[in-house]
Amino acid sequence: MLRGILCGSMGDAENMKSDAPNPHPTEVELKLAVPTQDPSQLAQRLARTPLLSRKKASVRQLHNIYFDTPDQVLHQARIALRLRRVGSDKHPQWLQTLKMGGASDSALSQRGEWEVAVPNGALDLHALEATPWSQIDPSGQVFQALAPCFTTSFERSSWLVRVTDGSSVEVALDVGQIVTGENSAPICELEFELLSGTPKALFDTAQSIATTIAVLPANTSKAERGYALAQNTWDRPVRARPPELTRELALHEAAGRVLREMFSQFTSNLLVLYTSDAPEVVHQARVGWRRFKSALRLFKPALPAHANPPWLALRPFLSDLGTLRDLDVALTETLPPFLDAYAQGDAQRVQTFETMLGTLATAAASQRKSVQTALQTPAIGLALLATTQWLEELTTPPVPGHTATEVPMPMPLRPWARRRIARLHKRMEDATQDAPGAEDLHRIRIFAKRLRYGIEALEPLLWKRRAQRWHQKATALQTSIGSARDITQASALAAKLPVDPGLVEFLRGLAAGRETSSVPIL
């Protein structure tokens, strides 16, 4: 019920700006995580950057208490309500803040924010009078059910930056922790809040800092991470969550929703990967990137002629990430089932096989460390930041009168989506018609992936049964060919390591047999 009320009240919220206690109730903010093992020196490093070197930092200790109902009604409606304590324990100042809306698929967020000073560390219903709260909770039952959910405590170092176009940006470094019960998680992030001007000023400011400080796009707020910590989902891999699409959407709106979700899957898993050794995190990061690149190809014919952002700096990292995934798959999925077939009850051969697995485990640990270290280099963050900005600009509605870069949409979104998917299906079918050999398998697998990702992204716009059949075919092809590829990759990896030559030959034989049997016949 609350979600329905909220949807109906968002328009009213926008019209309440002049009555809100905060004269600027819409918060526009760019959030970046800072991957570092030692955050204690970050403030000093930031203060030495050319952008901030002549500016004085303001340093404050902030303690925040977030509230929700036992069944997390506010969280489900994308609402955050907190009390913030500023200053010392002896002379505290309290601020009550209500935040609403905002998307979690981008490091750039825009959401309603109403902040009011309150006399003590208790929620004040009267302080919510000039906000949308009365439309959200007309009976007052939600307010009565609110209780502390989690806390955040951090030191904030902030600088005021004036950009050449006249915009003003607050740069804030937050270092501290989120706490819920006995669990805690670190906070180490940069926030760029737009005080006046256009969002481009946020990216210009962030890029200036990111040339020397490694950053990663942060697609979730502190509140969202607090809920994740409370629900024990803090460091879990982020899986695909295709956005809702309707036939009434303009093409640039559909493209924006799809591309942002896919890029968010990639960058969100990179944040988890920095501190997690779980193989599935690596897998989901690569899935996110492949979905993103596939969707770019899918939407490209109907998008304005924007140049792609500079991804050259990402290529070595993506290659290393692929190698890590190959090692993880070989170690945890591909090779263990063949132990009995190789050993045939011979204890020495069992030892040889287990020694190989140990060697692969050592190589995987080393590769994972290398990937995590690469995330601490500024070049990676700059490329990801540029892509974030590119997505925001790419999906901005075209300015009337500026038609030179516009690509007119030849048909409504739904028939356009169906035509694109039908074309992908035909390419996959054509590739498998002539009894393809092993050398064609990689190309067929690529076609199958593109079709699968395209169907998943555009599913609400497609034919139900036909899309389901095509998706099943694409998934079966991808799985069959991928299984053969995994054995080939595993044998190639083993050959590069100090592994028994006889065992390597055994794996090569397995790979050759699987390649032959995986040639698809539709």
Side-chain angles (χ1 to χ4, degrees):
M1 179 178 178
L2 176 59
R3 182 176 298 179
I5 295 173
L6 175 60
C7 292
S9 68
M10 289 304 291
D12 296 334
E14 290 299 316
N15 294 326
M16 296 179 64
K17 293 181 181 179
S18 60
D19 297 328
N22 184 340
H24 301 288
T26 300
E27 176 191 60
V28 183
E29 188 175 68
L30 179 65
K31 300 183 292 294
L32 302 176
V34 185
T36 178
Q37 297 294 333
D38 182 17
S40 63
Q41 302 301 315
L42 265 180
Q44 291 86 340
R45 290 178 58 198
L46 279 167
R48 291 194 295 268
T49 61
L51 182 69
L52 306 178
S53 60
R54 296 186 180 182
K55 304 182 185 302
K56 185 176 180 180
S58 171
V59 181
R60 295 184 296 168
Q61 300 293 329
L62 304 179
H63 178 74
N64 306 281
I65 308 169
Y66 286 81
F67 293 83
D68 208 337
T69 63
D71 52 351
Q72 297 186 352
V73 169
L74 297 188
H75 181 221
Q76 293 175 30
R78 301 192 58 78
I79 296 172
L81 180 62
R82 75 174 184 223
L83 281 174
R84 167 169 287 179
R85 186 187 68 204
V86 182
S88 65
D89 293 339
K90 292 184 179 180
H91 304 285
Q93 295 178 321
W94 291 93
L95 298 171
Q96 181 173 288
T97 305
L98 174 70
K99 294 191 178 188
M100 297 176 55
S104 61
D105 284 341
S106 175
L108 180 69
S109 66
Q110 301 186 47
R111 60 190 314 192
E113 179 185 44
W114 294 263
E115 188 168 84
V116 183
V118 292
N120 53 51
L123 289 178
D124 187 340
L125 183 59
H126 295 296
L128 295 170
E129 288 179 353
T131 76
W133 187 265
S134 60
Q135 286 81 36
I136 297 167
D137 181 28
S139 68
Q141 293 179 350
V142 172
F143 188 86
Q144 293 299 321
L146 294 174
C149 188
F150 54 87
T151 64
T152 64
S153 297
F154 51 88
E155 180 178 90
R156 168 166 289 180
S157 303
S158 58
W159 298 261
L160 179 62
V161 174
R162 298 192 183 279
V163 186
T164 53
D165 68 355
S167 301
S168 296
V169 176
E170 181 187 58
V171 179
L173 171 67
D174 295 340
V175 176
Q177 61 180 349
I178 303 171
V179 177
T180 174
E182 297 182 354
N183 298 324
S184 65
I187 295 172
C188 186
E189 65 184 28
L190 281 165
E191 292 185 354
F192 300 82
E193 184 173 354
L194 187 65
L195 304 181
S196 65
T198 64
K200 183 177 182 299
L202 297 177
F203 287 102
D204 291 344
T205 305
Q207 286 166 359
S208 177
I209 289 176
T211 57
T212 55
I213 304 291
V215 298
L216 292 173
N219 306 317
T220 55
S221 65
K222 294 183 184 70
E224 289 172 299
R225 282 175 277 153
Y227 282 111
L229 184 65
Q231 297 166 0
N232 294 316
T233 60
W234 170 264
D235 57 354
R236 291 186 183 177
V238 179
R239 302 179 186 278
R241 295 172 296 181
E244 295 182 3
L245 301 178
T246 63
R247 67 182 74 181
E248 293 80 14
L249 287 174
L251 182 58
H252 74 272
E253 293 175 315
R257 293 187 185 188
V258 170
L259 290 170
R260 276 196 293 264
E261 182 274 326
M262 293 174 172
F263 187 67
S264 174
Q265 184 191 10
F266 174 58
T267 56
S268 296
N269 279 294
L270 293 186
L271 282 176
V272 181
L273 172 61
Y274 181 67
T275 56
S276 172
D277 293 340
E280 186 61 20
V281 175
V282 177
H283 177 48
Q284 292 302 324
R286 295 187 74 235
V287 167
W289 179 254
R290 288 178 172 180
R291 292 175 67 232
F292 175 66
K293 292 297 293 290
S294 179
L296 280 177
R297 180 182 292 269
L298 179 69
F299 284 104
K300 184 177 180 179
L303 287 176
H306 286 65
N308 286 347
W311 289 325
L312 186 62
L314 288 180
R315 288 181 182 176
F317 173 77
L318 292 169
S319 176
D320 288 345
L321 194 66
T323 300
L324 175 56
R325 175 58 182 165
D326 288 339
L327 286 164
D328 282 341
V329 170
L331 182 63
T332 63
E333 299 176 21
T334 305
L335 295 179
F338 296 110
L339 170 58
D340 291 340
Y342 173 75
Q344 297 181 352
D346 186 308
Q348 182 59 47
R349 291 169 73 87
V350 169
Q351 181 62 44
T352 299
F353 200 95
E354 291 179 344
T355 298
M356 175 193 65
L357 293 180
T359 302
L360 284 171
T362 300
S366 176
Q367 185 71 9
R368 182 168 280 102
K369 183 65 176 177
S370 176
V371 167
Q372 291 169 337
T373 300
L375 293 175
Q376 300 178 54
T377 60
I380 301 296
L382 276 172
L384 298 176
L385 184 59
T387 304
T388 302
Q389 181 177 5
W390 177 74
L391 282 171
E392 296 298 329
E393 294 175 349
L394 181 70
T395 55
T396 299
V399 178
H402 292 264
T403 58
T405 60
E406 295 178 26
V407 175
M409 188 171 173
M411 60 186 70
L413 179 61
R414 188 175 187 181
W416 177 90
R418 292 182 172 188
R419 177 173 292 188
R420 293 294 292 161
I421 293 302
R423 182 181 177 186
L424 285 176
H425 176 256
K426 186 177 186 306
R427 296 189 72 181
M428 185 187 77
E429 290 269 320
D430 290 347
T432 59
Q433 287 304 310
D434 300 325
E439 66 277 5
D440 300 313
L441 294 181
H442 179 65
R443 185 168 59 94
I444 295 171
R445 185 167 179 252
I446 289 176
F447 288 152
K449 278 188 176 183
R450 289 176 184 169
L451 178 60
R452 175 191 164 197
Y453 294 153
I455 290 174
E456 291 170 355
L458 302 177
E459 181 181 3
L461 307 172
L462 304 176
W463 331 262
K464 185 174 182 180
R465 293 183 179 178
R466 191 186 308 179
Q468 186 178 35
R469 290 198 310 269
W470 291 358
H471 186 272
Q472 289 173 346
K473 280 186 179 181
T475 302
L477 274 174
Q478 182 182 345
T479 301
S480 174
I481 300 173
S483 177
R485 175 195 176 276
D486 289 343
I487 298 178
T488 300
Q489 288 294 111
S491 65
L493 289 170
K496 295 177 182 179
L497 298 172
V499 173
D500 182 87
L503 179 49
V504 172
E505 288 304 314
F506 169 78
L507 296 176
R508 285 174 175 164
L510 283 175
R514 285 299 180 94
E515 282 186 357
T516 301
S517 63
S518 67
V519 175
I521 300 176
L522 295 183

